[in-house]
Amino acid sequence: QVQLVESGGGSVQTGGSLRLSCSVSGSIASAYCQGWFRQSPGKEREGLVRIIIENASPLYADSVKGRFTVSRNFAKNTLDLQMDNLKPEDTGMYYCATSRNFLCLGTSLRSSDFDSWGPGTQVTVSS
């Protein structure tokens, strides 16, 4: 069973940067995708980016395209999210996830297509 733990959250001002890391333990051999999601107060969980494990092909949400970059660190077995030019609307709890559901290969970035989740890390962006 996969266990995920996020780290790297914190508080920054508008325009600042943070780098999140998701530590992955256990086998993801049967998984199709890994991804990052965000949930802001009063809002549904939003898909930010997912990668296809087989080829690391990324898919970004329009809201973060050009500002966020996902990468895999094979040496540390982590999935990292570099976040630049942060805005107050980026505030929320950030979660990493994996999916053994082939539906994650689509372009919808639906949280319901992902089945393993970390506890989350808080990001706060002040104006």
Side-chain angles (χ1 to χ4, degrees):
Q1 186 166 349
V2 176
Q3 291 188 328
L4 309 172
V5 179
E6 303 89 344
S7 62
S11 297
V12 296
Q13 292 187 327
T14 298
S17 298
L18 282 174
R19 187 176 184 87
L20 305 183
S21 186
C22 174
S23 177
V24 181
S25 59
S27 175
I28 59 171
S30 60
Y32 290 103
C33 306
Q34 292 177 283
W36 282 96
F37 293 78
R38 171 175 70 205
Q39 189 158 20
S40 304
K43 295 186 178 180
E44 294 186 355
R45 193 165 294 189
E46 173 191 11
L48 304 178
V49 59
R50 71 101 173 97
I51 62 167
I52 298 174
I53 292 175
E54 184 179 35
N55 58 22
S57 174
L59 173 71
Y60 293 94
D62 289 342
S63 60
V64 303
K65 196 176 296 182
R67 301 188 299 122
F68 290 12
T69 305
V70 67
S71 60
R72 296 180 67 186
N73 186 321
F74 292 97
K76 296 183 178 180
N77 203 19
T78 61
L79 183 71
D80 300 333
L81 185 66
Q82 176 67 37
M83 306 187 296
D84 298 316
N85 191 22
L86 284 162
K87 305 175 182 180
E89 51 264 43
D90 294 318
T91 294
M93 187 69 79
Y94 283 66
Y95 301 90
C96 68
T98 63
S99 174
R100 295 169 295 173
N101 186 342
F102 72 93
L103 292 177
C104 74
L105 300 174
T107 59
S108 61
L109 289 173
R110 282 192 303 255
S111 60
S112 59
D113 293 338
F114 286 73
D115 45 49
S116 295
W117 294 85
T121 186
Q122 178 68 35
V123 171
T124 303
V125 185
S126 58
S127 56

